[in-house]
Amino acid sequence: MGGSEARRPKAGRPPDRQAGRAVRQAALQLMREKGYAGVSIAAIAARAGVARQTLYNRWPTKADLVLDAVFEETGRNAPALPGGAPPEGQAGLEAFLLQVLGHLQQDGDPLRALIAAAQHDPVFRDALRARFVLPRERIVTDLLIRAQARGEIAAHRDPGLLSQLVHGIFWYRLLNGQELDAALAREIAAEIFGR
Amino acid sequence: MGGSEARRPKAGRPPDRQAGRAVRQAALQLMREKGYAGVSIAAIAARAGVARQTLYNRWPTKADLVLDAVFEETGRNAPALPGGAPPEGQAGLEAFLLQVLGHLQQDGDPLRALIAAAQHDPVFRDALRARFVLPRERIVTDLLIRAQARGEIAAHRDPGLLSQLVHGIFWYRLLNGQELDAALAREIAAEIFGR
DNA sequence: TTGATTATTGGACTGTGGTCCACTAATTGT
DNA sequence: ACAATTAGTGGACCACAGTCCAATAATCAA
């Protein structure tokens, strides 16, 4: 299976182009209106003006559909700060955490549902990890590596571990229904760089 | 509503004593055999030899029932170290984390399912938090407070925040399907006390 | 135009969590 | 004995995720 699958001579009815966006937008809207548990596949299909089976043709489960909707339709797969340049130092970490915070304020509920869904499906869990978790973890790790190179962080500390500590507390508080506010972001950044 | 509900003169048919244990044991067995998603209320009722409605009479949801089964029937509500005295210092933290590790090695799967279920039900989430999460969080917090009093941890650092960082990374790695091994426990303890 | 191919559609179907209800069984107080 | 009270039982019922299937629609190649 090298590169021989170059271009199958496309045949058959093509997928409805409109449908894709319509479904994702309907899913995202309903999600924000009623939360993950309050949305049914049937409702999404109805609002998108599409047969229910079409959703199952394209997405294996409700969780996959919502994952797609949240991350394709809101363009949040690129968690980098809009500025272009990656965040730097303690202030950069704090800024990044604040941005994640904003994301969670809007889509925390869907995200919690996705994390929950991932626990029942290893394949989906890996997809979520690849598309959402790892990119964010990487940003913080890289930030800490650069900070360490500048001597802002002791050489013996492990940036990968620190990054997971940071993301971990966000998950922990999110999944436990605790508040995630700006003060927390500041305290975390201070603790990591602090003293 | 002070203390006037002293002792209602018990009337009516008493709850079946056998049923309680039978149901919890059936739930736990099936849980370990087929995992959370693979177990149905009907199956638990059948194995316990009890009407399905009886389960709903006693537990509001499947998640509550399983939570009860896991934590009542296995006696894991007491997360303290068997020694009696609470763990102390960096070594104590590492020992505590190793003990949690052992727990996760046996019941990590049900626990992941419970955390997932909690995301769909705020009431259940609070119950899980009260019976499972907070006691463990507290142990580490208290350990760190005592260590701080002995000067092992800088005075300006927040033991509550540190405790959540520690538990957070455990959740993060558990829910992401990453390994939780003794080396991690050692690195975390070193990072918290370290430098 | 015809055939092959693929997508969409709508409807039937299954399994599950959860609710509702009427009936029966066991207990206490009179 | 009898009423009141509470628990267990069995069955009907609903909403939803997910599957299956036959019919139809749109496209490409001949």
Side-chain angles (χ1 to χ4, degrees):
Chain A
M1 36 308 259
S4 72
E5 79 296 339
R7 204 154 315 287
R8 245 179 312 155
K10 44 177 174 168
R13 173 174 177 171
D16 187 338
R17 275 294 174 21
Q18 313 274 340
R21 286 194 58 80
V23 168
R24 272 188 284 258
Q25 286 187 346
L28 195 60
Q29 278 178 16
L30 285 168
M31 195 74 169
R32 286 177 171 154
E33 288 171 20
K34 317 194 172 192
Y36 182 85
V39 178
S40 69
I41 293 275
I44 296 173
R47 180 170 295 195
V50 137
R52 199 168 60 96
Q53 180 58 33
T54 296
L55 303 198
Y56 285 107
N57 285 346
R58 299 183 175 209
W59 293 275
T61 70
K62 176 182 172 182
D64 286 88
L65 165 55
V66 173
L67 175 64
D68 227 38
V70 171
F71 292 102
E72 211 88 329
E73 212 63 29
T74 66
R76 293 198 196 278
N77 357 16
L81 290 172
E88 291 294 343
Q90 179 171 343
L93 176 57
E94 190 177 328
F96 173 78
L97 294 181
L98 284 175
Q99 196 222 4
V100 174
L101 226 70
H103 181 187
L104 291 182
Q105 235 126 28
Q106 187 173 24
D107 285 322
D109 203 73
L111 182 56
R112 278 184 19 236
L114 290 175
I115 293 173
Q119 302 312 311
H120 301 308
D121 180 350
V123 176
F124 177 61
R125 186 178 63 191
D126 292 344
L128 179 66
R129 183 164 165 73
R131 289 180 61 180
F132 179 78
V133 179
L134 278 181
R136 280 160 178 75
E137 186 178 318
R138 197 63 204 260
I139 286 178
V140 174
T141 306
D142 290 347
L143 181 151
L144 293 174
I145 289 176
R146 293 191 302 273
Q148 198 173 43
R150 290 193 302 271
E152 298 170 16
I153 286 185
H156 71 276
R157 300 171 76 195
D158 177 358
L161 183 73
L162 293 173
S163 179
Q164 291 198 338
L165 282 167
V166 170
H167 285 94
I169 194 176
F170 263 69
W171 281 51
Y172 185 73
R173 292 182 69 99
L174 173 69
L175 297 176
N176 274 289
Q178 289 189 278
E179 223 183 326
L180 291 158
D181 54 15
L184 179 70
R186 191 170 38 71
E187 287 167 25
I188 293 173
E191 167 59 34
I192 296 297
F193 279 84
R195 80 200 110 275
Chain B
M1 38 304 257
S4 71
E5 79 295 340
R7 203 156 315 285
R8 244 177 314 154
K10 45 177 175 167
R13 172 174 178 170
D16 186 339
R17 275 293 174 22
Q18 314 274 340
R21 287 194 58 81
V23 168
R24 272 188 284 259
Q25 287 187 345
L28 196 61
Q29 277 178 15
L30 285 167
M31 193 76 172
R32 288 179 168 150
E33 287 172 21
K34 315 193 172 193
Y36 182 85
V39 178
S40 69
I41 294 274
I44 295 174
R47 180 170 296 194
V50 137
R52 198 167 62 95
Q53 181 59 33
T54 295
L55 303 198
Y56 285 106
N57 286 345
R58 300 183 173 208
W59 294 275
T61 69
K62 174 183 173 182
D64 286 87
L65 164 55
V66 174
L67 176 63
D68 227 38
V70 171
F71 291 103
E72 209 88 330
E73 214 63 28
T74 66
R76 293 199 197 279
N77 357 16
L81 290 172
E88 291 293 344
Q90 178 171 343
L93 176 58
E94 190 178 329
F96 173 78
L97 293 181
L98 284 175
Q99 197 222 2
V100 174
L101 227 70
H103 182 186
L104 292 181
Q105 238 127 28
Q106 185 174 25
D107 283 322
D109 206 72
L111 182 56
R112 279 186 18 238
L114 290 175
I115 293 174
Q119 302 312 310
H120 301 308
D121 180 348
V123 176
F124 175 61
R125 186 178 61 193
D126 292 344
L128 180 65
R129 183 166 165 71
R131 289 179 61 178
F132 179 78
V133 179
L134 278 182
R136 282 161 176 75
E137 185 178 320
R138 197 62 205 260
I139 287 178
V140 174
T141 305
D142 289 347
L143 180 150
L144 293 174
I145 288 176
R146 292 192 302 272
Q148 199 174 41
R150 290 192 303 269
E152 297 170 17
I153 287 184
H156 70 277
R157 299 171 76 194
D158 177 358
L161 183 73
L162 293 174
S163 179
Q164 291 198 337
L165 282 167
V166 169
H167 284 96
I169 195 175
F170 263 70
W171 282 49
Y172 185 75
R173 292 181 69 99
L174 174 68
L175 298 175
N176 274 289
Q178 289 188 277
E179 223 182 327
L180 290 159
D181 54 16
L184 179 71
R186 191 170 37 72
E187 287 167 25
I188 293 174
E191 166 59 33
I192 296 297
F193 279 83
R195 80 199 111 275

